[in-house]
Every structure is written in structure tokens, then in C-alpha cells.
């Protein structure tokens, strides 16, 4: 509900757009594409040039979907009118002798990673009133949604679907089925829920041959559960290795995204950092160097997308000196040229800034600041992203001094933090440190909603000392601007989740990386 300026300041984000799209896609799949499309058309036609409420949308979809889908349509409300995402815990029951008609026992609950506060606690921290909801307690929350399961023995598989409504649902597999060896609980990844299998089923699935449509949702769920500490990091890295060089680029990208869940703060000491660099090089290095920083003749669809994520990650977490050196060379060349930047330049510019040091680093910083006065449009955002990515403390302070100088547009300083520091732990630490001494002066020159963004830096932090500085910097200031209180509560929450996951993953990571 939008009941205050704080609510208005937080209303337009990934929950509105990305979660909204995912939930609609899930129910479209259950109802049928044609019926759902006709329902949307009815809704638009009936309310053209006017206003509408959510109930109007539900009625329009229901009119086209038919009475047999009434319960499914009602399920859309369960995702709109309460926060969170369902966690679907799936176990297999084949009787004591393994010969009974196999059943899946499915339990739903709200997915809450270790370290996450409840909605009530977050509201108390943010000094904002909790949302009016019939299910304010996470323990009481329940969703209604379709779930489709695949199961099999080796390459022989079948599937079945069910509507999940109750806290516990038993899904009998089709008559004649033997007890399967593997189970996949989100066919095609169309369901908006987190799938959690028993340890035995998880181990089996990790070693089962999977088609691309099967592998992608498994890799995505593994990333979510590893980031929250539920999946062991060694198992996640083993799964990532299996698909690292898959010929289908979306699968390979999902594999590298899973490996990238391991945060720099999760690695202790030079030995573990070197071990993870060897892992990254062994499994992803050749692909990253083949992609390189720039578009090449013969690129396939998807190469440009993977280039933006994989290459800078290998340069950084893989400590790839070749990629780092090439990024610096290209950055200097592009910043000094009069021509527009090539497609995808941002990744190389940010990587060059990350590893800049000493006099040569100062030259790169000066080149960025000079280019900022020349370039326009998208190129300007690329330069801002680089300026927000410096990890050398002296260079970072000089960059922030220039971006927040009296005659500069302070909004561009926020953009630099958003595009650079918010995605990089080391740079985020320096950004928070800079705000500690300059926050009040900066905020006076910003629109209120721009200032509300600063707590988003918490998403990049993962250490108790970093959290303490974050609290000291923004704890008594964030609530003074519309939207800031909730962003601050979320920032604190995200730091806590990462710290808890790091602690739970310590033993597995140490053991796994010692063997690399």
C-alpha cells in the first residue's frame, strides 16, 4: 500500500517490475497463453482512458479463464497482497521398501535466509509502520500457485503438476511409475518459488544429466540457496563446474552466476583467494579470454550479455592479469579518443578503475574526469561507473571530491555510486566512508528521492566492521528523507544475510579451495 511519501519513494523497484513479470508469467503458464492474453485485452478494453483497481484485473482474467481456473486466479492475490516468496521443500516417499506408489511430499513456507529479519523487525528498525497485511507473520504466510515436477531414472523421465494451497501437499506420481532417482520441482523455471530438495535428492540432481530448460532453474535455485547458506558452497561450485562451458550460453551464464555467489568477504587469507582464483581460471578463464572485452566477428547471440558479466568477474575473482592489463589499455585508449565508446565499454572501464594504483592510476582517474566533460548520453554513464569503481583509497577519495564538488551536479555522484560502488564490496566500503564525512553537505544539494538511495550501498557489504560503519554513517540520517528508512532497513538486512551466509559457508569453502 502507498500510504505515505516513504511508500511512494519505495514503490518502483525490482519487486514491481521483475517480480511482477515473473508472477504473471507463472499464472499465464497455468491458465494458458490464449486465455490469459484475452483476459488482459478485456481488462485494457474495459478500463481504457480510465482508472482501475487490482480487483478489476482479477475479474477480467477470471472471465476468460473459466470457472475451472477460479482457485488459480485467486492465487495471484496471494502474491500481490503479501510480501515474500514461497519456499517449496520437496521430499520423496516410496514406502519403507521403495516399492510403493511414489509420492512427493511438498511443504510450503516463506523463504527466509539465515540472518534475515522478520517484516515486523524490519519495520521497527526503519521506524516505518508495518504494511497492513492479513499475513504479517512469515510463519503464517501461505500462497496458492501451480507447481510442475519432473522426475525420472537416468534419462527416462515423466512429469506431473499440482496446485499448491495448503502448508503440506502430497502429490502422487502417475500410476505405474517406479520410485524415481531424481526429482526436479520447477519444470522450465516458470514457477515463482524457491525449490528446496532433501539432501539426498539434491546430491542426485547435481549429478543427473539435465537439459538446458532443466539446468537453468536448478542453477538459479542453487544460487539463491547458496547465498542464504542453505546449500553448501562446495556443492554449488561443483554444480557450477558441470555447466561452466555449456554450449547453450544461458546455461553457461547461469553457471557463472552461481559461482559468483561466493563473495570476496567469504574468502579468508591469501591462500583461499588464490584457491578461488585457480577455480575461476580453470573453469571459466578460457571462455572469458576468448570473449575478451570487445565485440568480435562471429559473435553468437548472447556473447555480448555474457561478456558483461563473465569477463570482469574472471579479471577480478580469477585475478587474470591478461584481462586486467587489456582493460587498462582499452580504457586509456577510449577515454582519450574523440569517438564514442564501443558497445559494452563499461565493464572494461570499471575493471581498469578497480585495479588502478599509484601515479598510473592517477592518470587514469584524470582521464575519466576529463572525459566526463566531453562525452554525452550512455558514454557518460560508463565514465560515471568507472569513477565509482576505484578501490585505491586515495584515488577513490579524489574521485568523490570531484563528483561532489560545489560546482558539480551532485546527482552524478549518486549515479557513480549506483553504477560502480553498489556492485563492488571494496568500492562500497570507500563510498560509505566518504559519506561519513560529507553526507550532510551532499544531501543539501540533492532531490529528496536521490538521497534516499544511499542506504542501497548496504547490499555490497558483508562484514561486521563494515556494518558498524554503515550504521554510524546512515543510521540516524536515512529516515530524514522519503523512502530512506525502508532502504536503510533493507541495507541492514542484506548485510546480516551475507554475514550469516559467510559464517555458514566457512568450513565448506576452506576444504574445497584447499584442493584447487
Amino acid at each position: 500500500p502507498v500510504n505515505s511519501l516513504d511508500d511512494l519513494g519505495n514503490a518502483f523497484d525490482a519487486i514491481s517490475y521483475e517480480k511482477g513479470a515473473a508472477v504473471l508469467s507463472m499464472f499465464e503458464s497455468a491458465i494458458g497463453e490464449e486465455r490469459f492474453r484475452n483476459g488482459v485485452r478485456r481488462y485494457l478494453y474495459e478500463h481504457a482512458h480510465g482508472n482501475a483497481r487490482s480487483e478489476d484485473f482479477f475479474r477480467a482474467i477470471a472471465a476468460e479463464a473459466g470457472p475451472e481456473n477460479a482457485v488459480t486466479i485467486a492465487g495471484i492475490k496471494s502474491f500481490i497482497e503479501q510480501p515474500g516468496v514461497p519456499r517449496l521443500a520437496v521430499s520423496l516417499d516410496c514406502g519403507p521398501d521403495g516399492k510403493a506408489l511414489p509420492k512427493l511430499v511438498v511443504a510450503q513456507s516463506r523463504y527466509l535466509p539465515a540472518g534475515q529479519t522478520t517484516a515486523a523487525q524490519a519495520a521497527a528498525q526503519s521506524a516505518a509502520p508495518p504494511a497492513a497485511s492479513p499475513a504479517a507473520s512469515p510463519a503464517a504466510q501461505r500462497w496458492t500457485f501451480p507447481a510442475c515436477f519432473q522426475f525420472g531414472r537416468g534419462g527416462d523421465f515423466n512429469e506431473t503438476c499440482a496446485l499448491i494451497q495448503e502448508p503440506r501437499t502430497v502429490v502422487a506420481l502417475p500410476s505405474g511409475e517406479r520410485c524415481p532417482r531424481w526429482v526436479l520441482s520447477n519444470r522450465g523455471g516458470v514457477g515463482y518459488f524457491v525449490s528446496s530438495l532433501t539432501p539426498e535428492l539434491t546430491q542426485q540432481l547435481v549429478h543427473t544429466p539435465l537439459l538446458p530448460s532443466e539446468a537453468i532453474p536448478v542453477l538459479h535455485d542453487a544460487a539463491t540457496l547458496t547465498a542464504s547458506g542453505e546449500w553448501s558452497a562446495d556443492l554449488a561450485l561443483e554444480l557450477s563446474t558441470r555447466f561452466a562451458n555449456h554450449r547453450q550460453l544461458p546455461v553457461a551464464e547461469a553457471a557463472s552466476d552461481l559461482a559468483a555467489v561466493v563473495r570476496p568477504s567469504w574468502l579468508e587469507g591469501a591462500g583461499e583467494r588464490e584457491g578461488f582464483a585457480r577455480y575461476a581460471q580453470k573453469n571459466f578463464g578460457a571462455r572469458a579470454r576468448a570473449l575478451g572485452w570487445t565485440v568480435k566477428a562471429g559473435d553468437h547471440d548472447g556473447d555480448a550479455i555474457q561478456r558483461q558479466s563473465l569477463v570482469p568477474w574472471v579479471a577480478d575473482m580469477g585475478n587474470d592479469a591478461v584481462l586486467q592489463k587489456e582493460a587498462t589499455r582499452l580504457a586509456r585508449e577510449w577515454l582519450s579518443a574523440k569517438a564514442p565508446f564501443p558497445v559494452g565499454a563499461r565493464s572494461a572501464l570499471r575493471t581498469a578503475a578497480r585495479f588502478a594504483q599509484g601515479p598510473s592510476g592517477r592518470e587514469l582517474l584524470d582521464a575519466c574526469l576529463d572525459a566526463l566533460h566531453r562525452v554525452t548520453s550512455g558514454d557518460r554513464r560508463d565514465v560515471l561507473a568507472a569513477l565509482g569503481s576505484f578501490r585505491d583509497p586515495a584515488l577513490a577519495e579524489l574521485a568523490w571530491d570531484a563528483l561532489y564538488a560545489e560546482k558539480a551536479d551532485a546527482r552524478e555522484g549518486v549515479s557513480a555510486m549506483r553504477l560502480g560502488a553498489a556492485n563492488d564490496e571494496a568500492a562500497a566500503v570507500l563510498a560509505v566512508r566518504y559519506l561519513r564525512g560529507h553526507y550532510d553537505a551532499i544531501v543539501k544539494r540533492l532531490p529528496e528521492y536521490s538521497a534516499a538511495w544511499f542506504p542501497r550501498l548496504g547490499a555490497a557489504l558483508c562484514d561486521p566492521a563494515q556494518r558498524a560503519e554503515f550504521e554510524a554513517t546512515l543510521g540516524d540520517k536515512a529516515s530524514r528523507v522519503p523512502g530512506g528508512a525502508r532502504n536503510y532497513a533493507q541495507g541492514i538486512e542484506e548485510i546480516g544475510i551475507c554475514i550469516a551466509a559467510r559464517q555458514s559457508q566457512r568450513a565448506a569453502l576452506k576444504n574445497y579451495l584447499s584442493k584447487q
Side-chain angles (χ1 to χ4, degrees):
V2 178
N3 297 319
S4 68
L5 287 177
D6 280 293
D7 296 330
L8 188 62
N10 297 118
F12 304 98
D13 57 13
I15 291 177
S16 301
Y17 298 105
E18 295 180 27
K19 177 177 179 176
V23 169
L24 291 176
S25 293
M26 173 172 64
F27 285 99
E28 177 191 37
S29 177
I31 296 166
E33 182 178 317
E34 183 176 356
R35 287 179 170 185
F36 192 85
R37 181 178 63 239
N38 290 340
V40 172
R41 286 174 171 170
R42 174 188 286 263
Y43 169 70
L44 294 174
Y45 178 79
E46 291 178 348
H47 303 281
H49 309 295
N51 296 325
R53 301 178 64 86
S54 56
E55 287 294 337
D56 298 319
F57 177 77
F58 302 145
R59 279 194 295 270
I61 299 295
E64 297 294 336
E68 67 273 24
N69 284 306
V71 176
T72 304
I73 297 296
I76 303 178
K77 298 182 184 181
S78 67
F79 286 84
I80 292 176
E81 296 176 353
Q82 62 182 346
V85 57
R87 176 182 182 270
L88 209 59
V90 181
S91 60
L92 177 65
D93 180 5
C94 295
D97 59 359
K99 296 181 180 179
L101 177 66
K103 301 183 290 291
L104 300 177
V105 181
V106 180
Q108 69 154 303
S109 60
R110 181 174 177 180
Y111 165 71
L112 286 174
Q116 183 173 0
T117 58
T118 66
Q121 291 169 327
Q125 288 177 354
S126 67
S133 169
S137 168
Q141 290 185 248
R142 186 186 303 174
W143 289 263
T144 297
F145 57 97
C148 290
F149 307 87
Q150 287 179 264
F151 51 89
R153 300 172 66 87
D156 181 24
F157 68 93
N158 201 346
E159 58 186 44
T160 190
C161 298
L163 188 66
I164 308 300
Q165 293 179 268
E166 303 301 325
R168 183 178 182 273
T169 303
V170 176
V171 181
L173 301 191
S175 176
E177 287 290 340
R178 293 186 297 163
C179 191
R181 291 180 180 170
W182 59 268
V183 174
L184 189 153
S185 55
N186 190 357
R187 185 193 64 188
V190 73
Y192 186 77
F193 56 85
V194 177
S195 172
S196 178
L197 303 175
T198 61
E200 296 78 11
L201 288 175
T202 297
Q203 284 283 352
Q204 190 65 46
L205 189 62
V206 166
H207 298 97
T208 296
L210 298 173
L211 297 172
S213 61
E214 300 163 349
I216 290 173
V218 170
L219 290 162
H220 286 171
D221 277 338
T224 299
L225 295 171
T226 303
S228 70
E230 185 169 334
W231 258 50
S232 176
D234 55 350
L235 185 64
L237 293 176
E238 181 183 352
L239 177 63
S240 175
T241 297
R242 279 191 56 204
F243 297 99
N245 292 292
H246 198 280
R247 62 186 181 85
Q248 295 280 351
L249 290 179
V251 178
E253 186 178 10
S256 61
D257 288 345
L258 173 55
V261 167
V262 176
R263 302 270 288 267
S265 287
W266 291 15
L267 307 174
E268 291 189 359
E272 288 190 11
R273 289 191 290 272
E274 291 169 1
F276 193 85
R278 287 193 293 272
Y279 165 84
Q281 286 288 348
K282 177 182 177 181
N283 295 289
F284 300 97
R287 172 64 178 159
R289 287 187 292 275
L291 284 168
W293 295 109
T294 56
V295 176
K296 295 175 176 58
D299 272 359
H300 297 288
D301 291 343
D303 281 343
I305 295 174
Q306 193 178 29
R307 181 176 287 117
Q308 295 304 299
S309 57
L310 181 64
V311 179
W313 180 76
V314 170
D316 189 1
M317 296 297 285
N319 196 26
D320 193 302
V322 173
L323 289 175
Q324 293 171 14
K325 184 177 180 179
E326 180 66 3
T328 300
R329 184 189 70 79
L330 291 171
R332 292 179 181 279
E333 177 183 314
W334 296 336
L335 290 167
S336 62
K338 305 300 182 184
F341 295 161
V343 174
R346 185 177 303 179
S347 294
L349 291 169
R350 290 194 63 209
T351 297
R354 285 173 174 171
F355 294 96
Q357 291 182 320
S360 62
R362 177 59 189 270
E363 291 175 4
L364 180 67
L365 171 60
D366 290 340
C368 287
L369 293 173
D370 179 66
L372 194 62
H373 298 296
R374 285 188 291 103
V375 300
T376 58
S377 189
D379 287 357
R380 191 172 187 84
R381 291 177 63 81
D382 291 346
V383 176
L384 289 171
L387 286 167
S389 299
F390 283 93
R391 293 174 174 174
D392 180 278
L395 295 176
E397 184 166 7
L398 288 170
W400 298 127
D401 280 343
L403 289 164
Y404 288 117
E406 185 175 348
K407 294 184 178 180
D409 185 342
R411 292 174 299 179
E412 292 203 319
V414 179
S415 293
M417 287 186 175
R418 186 193 299 267
L419 297 168
N423 303 303
D424 186 310
E425 183 177 329
V429 169
L430 298 177
V432 171
R433 190 172 301 165
Y434 187 84
L435 288 175
R436 182 80 181 272
H438 301 84
Y439 180 89
D440 291 335
I442 291 172
V443 169
K444 288 179 181 178
R445 299 168 51 217
L446 285 172
E448 286 181 324
Y449 290 113
S450 293
W453 179 86
F454 287 130
R456 296 286 188 187
L457 287 165
L461 306 178
C462 191
D463 178 87
Q466 295 171 5
R467 177 168 59 188
E469 183 152 17
F470 180 80
E471 291 172 335
T473 302
L474 297 169
D476 63 345
K477 294 180 170 67
S479 61
R480 299 175 190 173
V481 295
R486 184 170 295 173
N487 286 347
Y488 176 75
Q490 290 175 341
I492 289 292
E493 182 177 77
E494 289 178 286
I495 300 171
I497 291 170
C498 189
I499 292 173
R502 182 180 73 171
Q503 292 170 344
S504 70
Q505 298 288 11
R506 283 298 314 130
L509 267 178
K510 182 177 180 180
N511 180 60
Y512 184 84
L513 295 176
S514 68
K515 302 172 184 177
Q516 296 302 304

